[in-house]
Amino acid sequence: MNGSGPAGRPGLAVTPGARGPGGRRLLVIGGGVAGSSVAYFAARAGWTVTVLDAGSGRASDVPTALLNPVRGQSGRVDARALEGLRLSWSLIRQLSVQGHQIPHEQRGVLRPLGTDAARTRFECHLPTELPHRWLTATETLSHDWSAHDWLAPGWPHLLFLPEGGWVSGPALVAALLAESGATLHRVRAQTWNAHSATLEGSEVLTAEAVVWCGGSVGMSWGGASWGGGSGQNGAGTATQTFTHRGGSLLLLAQAPAPIPVSAGVYLAPHETPDGRRGGVLGATFEAPSVQHAASGPPLKSLHWLLSRAAALSGDLSATVTGLWTGSRLSGECSGRQSGGWWALTGLGSKGFLLGPLMARELVRELEHPRAETGDGG
């Protein structure tokens, strides 16, 4: 996939998108959490939105996504994390009130730490404005549980993040798309430029603006090169790089913990839109790659996942009911590109934490674009 869109070439069927009351049409390529959020905020701003999404391989289809402001093993917190967290929860509540079934719980996230040095490292990175609390394993919270009931021994420090929680990725994405009123085409966009996208079958859709929100799979379909200077898609500078990283998630018949617990792997509750409860065990743990890998996890990866889970949970008796695999794209890119089209992609594990916030910001830029183009990152 690249952005060298041949729109208007002889022999191609060119289809203008339908115009809304404001007369502005937007094409969004990719319908995961980034693309659905762009569609949602653009529709609210008066755009008529068309979403192009093949409907397969999206990392945003993860059954349980964590809304966790403290990512990774370093304890670093993105400067936008708290604002993004609160906006995501606000959207989930608003969409739920509007009748959308979005399984979710905001009961906090627990980050166990195994050493004093790890706690010191986390404390150095925690912003004072981020609500948090250090617990002992036997301390009971307002939810009437203590970590001692289900956490494996050997974790001297427990960081509790009360504003964190979990959400069903597919349910949130579907609600955002539905509320946007976007026209959804289940098709690949083969090429695109500032005002059009060429689909499989050579049909061309045109619009006043195009936003590319593809992920790991979408990036791989056409071998898109996001470096500058080649003229392939006009996207920023030669230093823009992306990495793909696969992961897996086991679906469990019972939740191994009442709230999400994250320490290398994560355990969390899970609920389907029809109300069936269960749990998940997962992580993004495959070696980073410059290319998307479509295969499932090797046996050694599942062994690693289970060994980490055993160190985290005191009870691994839950029945495995399914396996989900996906690949995340990292290398954050947001804004207008030098080819005139826009991008919101490469959010990695922070898609549900920052995707809606960054989508809102991008739509504001669409409304009032600056004279200069973005730098691709």
Side-chain angles (χ1 to χ4, degrees):
M1 192 180 285
N2 59 56
S4 56
R9 196 173 64 199
L12 294 183
V14 179
T15 305
R19 293 184 185 272
R24 299 174 301 171
R25 301 159 301 166
L26 178 68
L27 290 178
V28 178
I29 303 173
V33 67
S36 61
S37 296
V38 169
Y40 175 83
F41 286 110
R44 288 172 62 89
W47 293 78
T48 299
V49 184
T50 298
V51 175
L52 311 177
D53 183 79
S56 63
R58 297 183 310 203
S60 297
D61 285 335
V62 60
T64 292
L66 298 195
L67 284 170
N68 173 20
V70 183
R71 316 295 302 185
Q73 300 305 301
S74 68
R76 294 187 182 277
V77 179
D78 191 289
R80 304 158 294 180
L82 187 57
E83 183 181 6
L85 180 69
R86 290 174 174 172
L87 176 61
S88 293
W89 284 126
S90 176
L91 275 177
I92 291 167
R93 288 191 292 268
Q94 180 178 340
L95 291 166
S96 297
V97 168
Q98 291 169 328
H100 298 279
Q101 299 297 315
I102 308 174
H104 68 279
E105 287 180 338
Q106 188 184 13
R107 301 177 64 194
V109 170
L110 195 68
R111 296 294 314 268
L113 302 174
T115 65
D116 294 343
R119 172 167 175 164
T120 299
R121 184 170 64 250
F122 271 59
E123 286 178 327
C124 289
H125 294 147
L126 287 170
T128 56
E129 64 271 18
L130 177 67
H132 64 277
R133 181 178 170 189
W134 292 98
L135 308 176
T136 64
T138 58
E139 190 169 354
T140 300
L141 294 178
S142 59
H143 306 305
D144 197 29
W145 54 260
S146 69
H148 177 75
D149 297 332
W150 39 266
L151 189 68
W155 299 98
H157 306 290
L158 305 176
L159 175 61
F160 180 63
L161 303 160
E163 293 195 22
W166 64 270
V167 64
S168 166
L172 177 56
V173 166
L176 288 166
L177 286 174
E179 204 59 35
S180 75
T183 299
L184 177 62
H185 292 277
R186 288 298 187 193
V187 65
R188 294 184 187 182
Q190 302 286 22
T191 57
W192 69 92
N193 59 28
H195 300 294
S196 68
T198 304
L199 315 182
E200 292 176 302
S202 298
E203 180 183 3
V204 178
L205 296 181
T206 62
E208 277 64 53
V210 175
V211 185
W212 196 85
C213 299
S216 177
V217 175
M219 182 70 72
S220 69
W221 280 334
S225 170
W226 282 65
S230 67
Q232 290 299 302
N233 58 23
T237 69
T239 59
Q240 179 66 43
T241 58
F242 294 97
T243 58
H244 306 255
R245 195 173 189 193
S248 298
L249 186 147
L250 297 178
L251 300 176
L252 308 174
Q254 300 89 30
I259 65 170
V261 186
S262 176
V265 300
Y266 70 89
L267 303 165
H270 169 62
E271 182 179 324
T272 61
D274 61 6
R276 287 178 292 139
R277 297 280 297 186
V280 298
L281 160 62
T284 304
F285 48 75
E286 305 295 353
S289 170
V290 295
Q291 295 180 336
H292 170 74
S295 61
L299 189 60
K300 64 179 182 180
S301 294
L302 293 179
H303 177 268
W304 179 90
L305 181 64
L306 291 173
S307 65
R308 293 298 297 265
L312 191 59
S313 174
D315 182 7
L316 294 182
S317 63
T319 301
V320 176
T321 60
L323 171 68
W324 179 89
T325 61
S327 179
R328 288 171 172 162
L329 184 70
S330 297
E332 186 180 307
C333 176
S334 178
R336 192 175 185 182
Q337 308 303 298
S338 58
W341 50 279
W342 300 72
L344 177 57
T345 188
L347 304 186
S349 65
K350 297 183 286 190
F352 288 90
L353 180 68
L354 297 181
L357 176 67
M358 296 179 68
R360 187 178 68 178
E361 294 171 350
L362 186 145
V363 170
R364 287 173 177 170
E365 289 186 44
L366 275 172
E367 295 288 287
H368 306 287
R370 294 170 294 180
E372 71 273 14
T373 59
D375 63 0

